[in-house]
Structures are given as structure tokens and as C-alpha cells.
Amino acid sequence: HTMPSQNSTHTLSHLAASHPYLTTTTALILSYIPLHFIIFGKSNDSDDAKIRAFLERSRKEAKKGLQEENGTSDVGSSMQNSSNSTKKQQHHIGIINQGATCYLASVLQTLYHIPHFTRRVFQIGQKRSPKHSVAAQLQYLFAVLHEGSQSAASARALLKSFGWSDQDAQEQHDVHELLTLLRDHLQKKMRNTQASGTFEQLFMGKEVSYNKCVNIEHTTTENESIFFDLQLQVKGCATIYDAFLKYVKPVRFEGSNALTTDRYGKQDVDRHVEFRKLPPVLMLHLMRFEYVQDPMSGSLMQRKLGDHCAYPKVLKLNPFVTHPNDETESSYFGPPSQEYYLLSVLVHKGSTLNSGHYFAYINTSEDLSKDDSWYRFDDDRVTHVSSAEAIERNYGGVTSPYMLVYVRKTEMAQIMKRVTDEDVPEFVKERVNSSSCSIL
């Protein structure tokens, strides 16, 4: 493996410098250039021509986007929709903050606005008392959000079903940990029901790591592993594509860190990761926090990374899925592409992980290619916003995205098909309408 040649690196740097509207060239060339070019620097005149053409088109698109952001386009769009904004908002209600549960509300609103997931939650049968069942309380909450007549919903009973006290609700928890907790509870409840396999079908991806010897021709394959979300580093990454490149970038183990191979003893090795399968709903956890040593006390302290990391509305990941086989060519919904549309941006405002405030921007449209249905879900407050507020004006800083959720284009119609009244089971409706329903 070789690094990019001086000539190819100079070409990309020159192109980036000549296009001030572009944050980085990496995001722009991925649609045309295979991943091995990005990592190992293979290039030719045809590639350079494609890069130049794509950069020129993207420069025009970026310039237009900046004009819309700084001009009247988005404002005009919002004003045109203001007449029916109130009507739309009646169908989107918030979730009351129980003390420090803004992180919970942003996660629950995101999950609820994945309609296929919501339908599957409604398909879980109940055998235990609703008061002690995470699945039952989530069904109630989703039914209240769907019915939409209340000013806001309460998640207090859901918190209690976790086994949490009122004091626990006053403590800020991590979004990633909460998703893991919910998945563990729901997967158990979904077994042997119509909802069985939901998390695997919607959220599960597969990756494999390879060890390639540096000095001899020998490659070994590590065990294949699964993931339900990807944790991507944002430090020093100008775009989400850069974060993906960092994720798959080979790491060299040499000298005293050399690895023992199965046949040739200790060898200098390049280890890298390849994706075998990406899920229909892709959750990207952005690593916004790191631990550094306090210069005064010498102890470790937490620091938030405000690095600006641009993310697109349409995410194209074909170059990152390598060595396709029969399994990667199909999913529960059918043959996939690797083109994704942005559904949700979970935002953290503050300086530390366990403090500050969480809220979410969510595109509530069935067709995520449309930009007129972005809302800000901020606890019990729901407001209609422009796509520019959710995306272009939200790349980093003290207020920065903490998690991105994308839906793959090929499965979008099935996944985003709206939940109807008929999807809500009668026993859930009865519990919600009952005066003894613990969630109301």
C-alpha cells in the first residue's frame, strides 16, 4: 500500500483552494472515485477530469445554497408554509422534560418518526403489567404522539419502567447508552412476536477487519462483527466522509507492536476495516467528547469537541461497501443501494456530556428528499424550521450534532410510510384512553 502521489495530492489541494465554497474535496469526489483511490492514491487523467467536472457543479450548488441561506429563499419558503404550519404542528407534539430528560425526548422523537419501527413496536404483544413493561409504556407514548391531540406527552411512566427513580430523571444520561438500553429491552419483548427481528432488519450492519502483512504477501481476516450504530470520530474531520475515511483507514502495527500471524509468526501488519453490509436505517454517533489531562491537577477531564463536521442531506456510501456478496445485495426490504437521506439530527448544546441540553431536528415527511417538513423537537416545544437550520447552520461549535440518522433511499418508501389509526392496536388505544393509563 502506498500513500497518494505528490502530484495527485497537489491536484486535490489546488482544486480545493480554487473552490472556496467547498469545505473539503473528500466529500465531493467519493461518488466518482473508488475507496482505494482515496486511501492509496491511484489516479489517472480520467479521474482528474471527473473530479474537476464534479467540483465545478458542486461549487455552483454550494454557492446557490449559501445564497438561499443568506437571502430570502428559505425565509420565503417558511412564509409560504406559515399558513399551514399550525395545522402541521398539531400532528407533532413534544415530550415533557421530567427534570433532565431532554436526551430521552430527542431519542424517542427520532424513533417515533421512523414509522416502520413504530408499527413494529405496536405489534409487540403484552404479557406483563404495563407499569413494569418498557415495551408497553413505549406503545402508550407512541400512541399519544400519533393521536396528537394533547399539548405534550409524558415519558414519566417509561422512565419508571426502566427501574429508574425520580432522582434518576434529574441526571443527564448519554444518548448512545439510552439507545442500547432500549434495544436490549425491546429485543427481548419482540421475540416470538410479529415484531421479531426488527432491530436486525432496520439497524444492523456488518463489518470485517483485515490484517495485511507489510513485508510479505499474506492477509488474514478477523471475525465478522455486527453493529447497530457507528461511532465516528469528528476531531480533525471537515466532513462526515472524512470521518468514514478515518474509520476505515489502515492502522499499522510494527516493531514492538507487531502482530502474531497464523502462519508467519510476528509481522508488521496494516489492519483496516471494511463494511460488508450497511443497514436501511443508519445511526451515526459522532464522538464529540474526549478525555484530556488537566494541566493543574493531572487528573483526566472531559472536553467537548466543537469541530465543524459538515454532513449532507444525501449521503453516498457505495465506495465504503467492498467485496459485495449475496448477503450485501439484499435486505429485508429488497436489493439496496448505498444512498441515504437525512432523517434526524440529534443536537447537544453545552460543554460536557453529562450537562447541557439535547434537542432534535427531524424531517417528518414520507419523502425525505423534500425540505419543507423539518421540525425542531425541543422537549415539549415543536417548531417548523428550514432545512438550512437543521443542516448547513448546524455543523459544529458549542451547539453541535451528536448523532445523525439516515434512511436508505431504496427502502425509504416502506420505512417512512406513515402510521395510520389502523396500525395502533385496540388494546393500546384503550389503555391510552383509560383514565387509569399511567402515561397520562
Side-chain angles (χ1 to χ4, degrees):
H1 295 158
T2 60
M3 295 301 292
S5 68
Q6 225 174 7
N7 289 338
S8 64
T9 303
H10 173 76
T11 299
L12 290 176
S13 300
H14 174 74
L15 288 170
S18 64
H19 293 80
Y21 297 104
L22 305 179
T23 307
T24 180
T25 60
T26 306
L28 302 176
I29 65 178
L30 278 171
S31 296
Y32 286 89
I33 309 303
L35 184 58
H36 63 75
F37 168 80
I38 303 298
I39 297 178
F40 304 119
K42 298 180 181 179
S43 176
N44 54 46
D45 292 339
S46 176
D47 286 338
D48 289 342
K50 289 178 181 178
I51 294 171
R52 290 179 183 278
F54 189 51
L55 282 171
E56 183 61 27
R57 187 171 75 252
S58 298
R59 181 192 67 80
K60 293 178 180 179
E61 292 175 355
K63 185 175 181 180
K64 180 181 177 182
L66 288 173
Q67 289 173 339
E68 290 176 349
E69 181 177 334
N70 297 323
T72 60
S73 179
D74 283 321
V75 175
S77 175
S78 297
M79 291 181 68
Q80 289 174 7
N81 288 300
S82 62
S83 61
N84 56 16
S85 177
T86 303
K87 181 179 179 181
K88 288 182 181 178
Q89 193 164 323
Q90 290 176 351
H91 299 286
H92 303 302
I93 66 172
I95 299 176
I96 299 168
N97 194 326
Q98 302 296 326
T101 58
C102 51
Y103 68 96
L104 175 72
S106 62
V107 169
L108 293 175
Q109 290 283 13
T110 295
L111 291 175
Y112 169 73
H113 284 94
I114 305 173
H116 187 82
F117 177 78
T118 297
R119 273 190 293 274
R120 287 302 190 93
V121 169
F122 285 145
Q123 291 172 353
I124 302 174
Q126 298 301 325
K127 296 180 180 179
R128 293 182 60 194
S129 168
K131 288 185 179 181
H132 306 293
S133 170
V134 171
Q137 296 299 345
L138 189 61
Q139 286 177 332
Y140 294 156
L141 179 60
F142 280 2
V144 172
L145 293 176
H146 171 72
E147 200 271 336
S149 63
Q150 300 183 37
S151 58
S154 169
R156 187 168 182 268
L158 179 62
L159 290 171
K160 287 190 174 297
S161 71
F162 292 159
W164 292 0
S165 65
D166 290 339
Q167 181 60 37
D168 291 323
Q170 304 300 318
E171 299 175 5
Q172 191 86 271
H173 293 263
D174 178 44
V175 166
H176 185 257
E177 293 174 355
L178 174 65
L179 280 168
T180 302
L181 174 68
L182 278 172
R183 184 176 71 245
D184 290 344
H185 275 286
L186 293 176
Q187 277 183 313
K188 293 175 184 177
K189 281 292 185 180
M190 287 175 170
R191 290 173 188 161
N192 302 318
T193 72
Q194 288 181 309
S196 181
T198 295
F199 280 92
E200 291 79 3
Q201 294 159 5
L202 282 178
F203 305 108
M204 191 181 80
K206 293 183 179 180
E207 64 184 25
V208 63
S209 59
Y210 292 90
N211 291 332
K212 181 175 176 58
C213 294
V214 176
N215 301 314
I216 59 174
E217 287 295 327
H218 181 64
T219 301
T220 60
T221 305
E222 298 291 317
N223 291 333
E224 189 177 67
S225 59
I226 64 172
F227 61 87
F228 290 94
D229 61 79
L230 286 176
Q231 300 188 39
L232 301 179
Q233 296 183 38
V234 297
K235 187 175 183 178
C237 295
T239 75
I240 200 68
Y241 288 108
D242 295 313
F244 268 97
L245 286 171
K246 183 177 285 191
Y247 191 91
V248 301
K249 181 181 179 181
V251 177
R252 178 158 293 186
F253 296 85
E254 58 185 348
S256 60
N257 294 321
L259 302 181
T260 301
T261 64
D262 52 353
R263 294 171 57 187
Y264 300 100
K266 278 208 165 188
Q267 293 286 333
D268 293 345
V269 167
D270 284 335
R271 173 178 289 175
H272 74 279
V273 172
E274 293 182 1
F275 294 111
R276 286 287 177 84
K277 178 182 178 182
L278 293 177
V281 179
L282 182 62
M283 292 189 166
L284 304 178
H285 175 209
L286 308 185
M287 307 296 285
R288 284 278 174 195
F289 299 92
E290 66 176 1
Y291 285 92
V292 296
Q293 191 173 42
D294 189 321
M296 301 296 292
S297 66
S299 60
L300 291 178
M301 63 179 185
Q302 191 184 79
R303 180 174 67 184
K304 182 175 180 179
L305 300 172
D307 298 46
H308 282 232
C309 183
Y311 51 93
K313 182 178 80 170
V314 183
L315 184 65
K316 298 179 181 181
L317 296 177
N318 290 77
F320 291 97
V321 181
T322 56
H323 301 301
N325 53 33
D326 291 341
E327 186 175 20
T328 61
E329 290 300 319
S330 62
S331 73
Y332 172 77
F333 299 93
S337 72
Q338 305 304 335
E339 184 172 309
Y340 288 81
Y341 278 85
L342 185 63
L343 166 71
S344 176
V345 182
L346 280 71
V347 178
H348 177 266
K349 181 179 181 179
S351 57
T352 66
L353 180 64
N354 297 318
S355 65
H357 183 61
Y358 288 95
F359 58 91
Y361 292 109
I362 302 175
N363 188 343
T364 63
S365 174
E366 286 184 281
D367 182 356
L368 298 179
S369 68
K370 296 181 178 179
D371 289 333
D372 60 351
S373 296
W374 279 98
Y375 287 83
R376 172 171 167 157
F377 292 84
D378 191 346
D379 290 331
D380 58 338
R381 300 177 299 278
V382 181
T383 53
H384 185 248
V385 299
S386 69
S387 62
E389 178 177 331
I391 305 176
E392 289 88 351
R393 302 173 192 169
N394 193 36
Y395 288 152
V398 175
T399 302
S400 51
Y402 182 69
M403 182 172 285
L404 306 174
V405 181
Y406 284 87
V407 176
R408 194 156 51 195
K409 179 181 178 180
T410 46
E411 294 99 335
M412 183 167 62
Q414 299 99 312
I415 292 173
M416 298 304 296
K417 183 181 178 182
R418 293 195 189 282
V419 173
T420 66
D421 292 343
E422 289 71 28
D423 292 319
V424 185
E426 288 301 321
F427 73 89
V428 176
K429 293 177 183 177
E430 291 172 3
R431 291 173 185 171
V432 171
N433 293 328
S434 171
S435 60
S436 61
C437 179
S438 59
I439 200 169
L440 299 178

